[in-house]
């Protein structure tokens, strides 16, 4: 049994930064993540994408942000169980919790912080045949883990959200030929990114195909062709080394749905914004997994939620102690 003050479910950016806020208040954390590495969406979906809205960093690469967060929490010696999914949560008589994973690991904690983001990652796949045949390095990828994979290759991206726009822009400078196929005429993603994509198309740097749908893929062991239906219902063919359908991740809450938490229709955990507590005393939810009026799914919002939430968690970890708020410059960042 792993003993800790706080068990954090999810080692994405928000879970990682919460360790820092807990550490300042001398609370120990153990993090569990279903993925084999820390960093959540940043490491899994867009490690090489620049992020422009982290305070103090005009631009920072996603993986670099994760590495910096790991460096920042080092003094507090967090412990990790990676590659295991939290399955069960049980309340003990003394109000503490026992958390169990799919591999049988057990963690005993006074507080649980759910920082589970989108839950388990399940990419939405297009409704075309033979996808599985070309998955796992043979031409169909649902994420861009390393853009270098696509250097000098002919790429077809599909989708109209932020991922499709961001990767079209990024790969335009790396790949031999980039085509973006989108079923609509306008994009769901950030207007600024959409404008960049339209400009790249005007400059002839990408091939933008609107009002079109993927119909078929072809190849012999590896992907060779992508077929689509154009706006006139005619079938067209493009040579492609890779097809990257970016239709989003379907939020699969998984076991979290069974923990008696108050969850909305979109599979997000409702919280009280005074301290990001859930309907269960001692369980908090921060980052992309939670919902409240005005919620923005941004990393910086999750950081804020972690800071507020740890002040409240203090009373569960140290019921007899009084907490007075101090700046890190007064208290320092002390290893313990
Ligand atoms: P996540 O990063 O989703 O991490 C949650 C972790 O919890 C995951 O690793 C998951 O494996 C784990 N988990 C879930 N369920 C369990 C379980 N039962 N047991 C164990 N582990 C579990 N935000 C910005 O602020 N700026 C940007 O520029 C930006 N760009 C983006 C670009 C793209 C393409 C995408 C997809 C998102 C972008 N975002 C951006 C959003 C940002 O990535 C999220 O807001 C952020 O990742 C949320 O962090 P999190 O820690 O709450 O969750």
């Amino acid at each position: 049994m792993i003993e800790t003050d706080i068990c954090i479910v999810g080692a994405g950016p928000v879970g990682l930064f919460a360790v820092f806020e807990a550490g300042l208040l001398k609370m120990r954390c153990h993090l569990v993540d279903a993925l084999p590495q820390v960093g959540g969406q940043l490491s899994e979906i867009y490690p090489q994408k620049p992020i422009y809205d982290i305070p103090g960093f005009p631009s920072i690469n996603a993986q670099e942000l994760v590495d910096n967060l790991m460096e920042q929490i080092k003094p507090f010696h967090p412990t990790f169980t990676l590659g295991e999914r939290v399955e069960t949560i049980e309340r003990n008589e003394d109000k503490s919790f026992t958390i169990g994973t799919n591999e049988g690991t057990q963690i005993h904690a006074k507080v649980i912080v759910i920082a589970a983001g989108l839950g388990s990652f399940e990419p939405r796949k297009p409704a075309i045949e033979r996808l599985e045949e070309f998955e796992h390095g043979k031409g169909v990828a649902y994420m861009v883990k390393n853009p270098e994979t696509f250097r000098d290759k002919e790429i077809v991206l599909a989708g109209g959200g932020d991922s499709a726009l961001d990767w079209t822009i990024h790969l335009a400078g790396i790949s031999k030929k980039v085509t973006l196929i989108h079923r609509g005429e306008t994009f769901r993603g950030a207007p600024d990114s959409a404008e960049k994509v339209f400009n790249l198309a005007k400059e002839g740097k990408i091939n933008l195909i609107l009002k079109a749908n993927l119909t078929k893929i072809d190849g012999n062991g590896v992907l060779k062709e992508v077929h689509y239906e154009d706006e006139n219902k005619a079938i067209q063919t493009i040579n492609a080394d890779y097809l990257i359908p970016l239709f989003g991740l379907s939020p699969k809450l998984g076991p979290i749905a069974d923990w008696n938490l108050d969850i909305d229709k979109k599979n997000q955990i409702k919280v009280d914004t005074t301290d990001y507590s859930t309907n269960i005393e001692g369980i908090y939810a921060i980052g992309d997994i939670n919902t409240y009026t005005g919620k923005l799914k941004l990393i910086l919002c999750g950081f804020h939620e972690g800071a507020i939430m740890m002040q409240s968690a203090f009373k569960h970890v140290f019921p007899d102690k009084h907490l007075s708020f101090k700046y890190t410059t007064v208290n320092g960042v002390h290893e313990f």
Side-chain angles (χ1 to χ4, degrees):
M1 180 84 84
I2 296 165
E3 285 290 336
T4 187
D5 292 326
I6 298 178
C7 178
I8 303 182
V9 182
V14 173
L16 292 178
F17 187 67
V19 174
F20 182 77
E21 291 296 332
L24 293 177
L25 305 181
K26 305 228 173 312
M27 300 187 286
R28 289 196 183 283
C29 296
H30 183 83
L31 298 94
V32 187
D33 203 297
L35 294 171
Q37 78 280 337
V38 301
Q41 293 174 52
L42 283 68
S43 307
E44 184 64 17
I45 306 179
Y46 59 98
Q48 300 307 327
K49 188 181 90 72
I51 306 175
Y52 300 111
D53 52 359
I54 301 299
F57 291 93
S59 169
I60 184 162
N61 177 292
Q63 189 57 50
E64 198 185 337
L65 177 62
V66 172
D67 295 344
N68 284 358
L69 287 166
M70 287 297 281
E71 185 65 30
Q72 192 170 21
I73 62 178
K74 244 188 203 167
F76 305 129
H77 303 289
T79 47
F80 294 88
T81 298
L82 296 177
E84 295 185 27
R85 198 175 53 230
V86 172
E87 293 281 343
T88 56
I89 285 183
E90 275 167 39
R91 169 80 86 174
N92 303 314
E93 263 178 32
D94 64 353
K95 284 189 158 187
S96 65
F97 298 95
T98 302
I99 298 108
T101 75
N102 57 333
E103 298 287 331
T105 303
Q106 291 209 309
I107 300 133
H108 180 237
K110 293 172 190 134
V111 168
I112 295 177
V113 178
I114 303 175
L118 306 170
S120 329
F121 289 98
E122 293 286 335
R124 284 197 193 96
K125 299 182 182 182
I128 53 175
E129 289 173 9
R130 297 180 66 193
L131 280 172
E132 287 75 21
E133 206 179 312
F134 301 106
E135 288 173 356
H136 309 295
K138 285 178 260 168
V140 173
Y142 303 102
M143 293 170 188
V144 180
K145 284 196 190 171
N146 181 4
E148 283 304 311
T149 310
F150 307 104
R151 182 171 288 282
D152 301 327
K153 304 280 185 209
E154 297 192 31
I155 309 296
V156 176
L157 295 120
D162 280 315
S163 297
L165 293 172
D166 286 354
W167 285 120
T168 299
I169 296 164
H170 197 77
L171 293 175
I174 292 177
S175 304
K176 185 166 148 195
K177 184 177 171 200
V178 172
T179 302
L180 174 61
I181 298 180
H182 175 41
R183 66 175 175 190
E185 263 182 299
T186 52
F187 290 100
R188 279 190 322 281
D192 191 43
S193 308
E195 198 184 319
K196 277 189 196 153
V197 164
F198 283 121
N199 286 338
L200 285 170
K202 264 189 220 146
E203 292 160 15
K205 292 184 179 151
I206 62 159
N207 181 20
L208 179 61
I209 301 170
L210 300 172
K211 297 201 272 183
N213 284 299
L214 297 174
T215 53
K216 213 174 104 176
I217 49 176
D218 229 328
N220 188 5
V222 291
L223 187 75
K224 291 267 184 263
E225 287 174 351
V226 171
H227 303 251
Y228 66 94
E229 188 185 72
D230 70 12
E231 59 180 307
N232 303 315
K233 306 274 175 229
I235 300 296
Q236 308 287 355
T237 303
I238 316 178
N239 289 341
D241 299 307
Y242 284 97
L243 168 67
I244 313 175
L246 295 169
F247 297 150
L249 299 167
S250 62
K252 289 255 167 11
L253 257 199
I256 297 172
D258 306 327
W259 300 341
N260 295 325
L261 293 161
D262 197 359
I263 291 173
D264 76 356
K265 283 186 193 135
K266 289 187 176 166
N267 278 345
Q268 291 153 331
I269 302 172
K270 292 186 194 171
V271 287
D272 176 346
T273 50
T274 50
D275 58 0
Y276 302 99
S277 53
T278 67
N279 58 313
I280 301 178
E281 204 194 342
I283 303 187
Y284 297 82
I286 56 175
D288 278 13
I289 193 77
N290 77 12
T291 185
Y292 51 86
T293 307
K295 167 75 183 180
L296 285 179
K297 287 189 182 188
L298 285 176
I299 298 163
L300 77 93
C301 297
F303 288 171
H304 159 86
E305 293 162 10
I308 303 279
M309 173 259 117
M310 285 302 173
Q311 301 281 316
S312 171
F314 186 88
K315 65 175 183 280
H316 295 290
V317 176
F318 302 116
D320 303 327
K321 280 193 193 166
H322 172 73
L323 176 63
S324 64
F325 174 75
K326 292 202 179 74
Y327 293 128
T328 46
T329 36
V330 176
N331 264 1
V333 177
H334 297 297
E335 192 160 346
F336 74 97

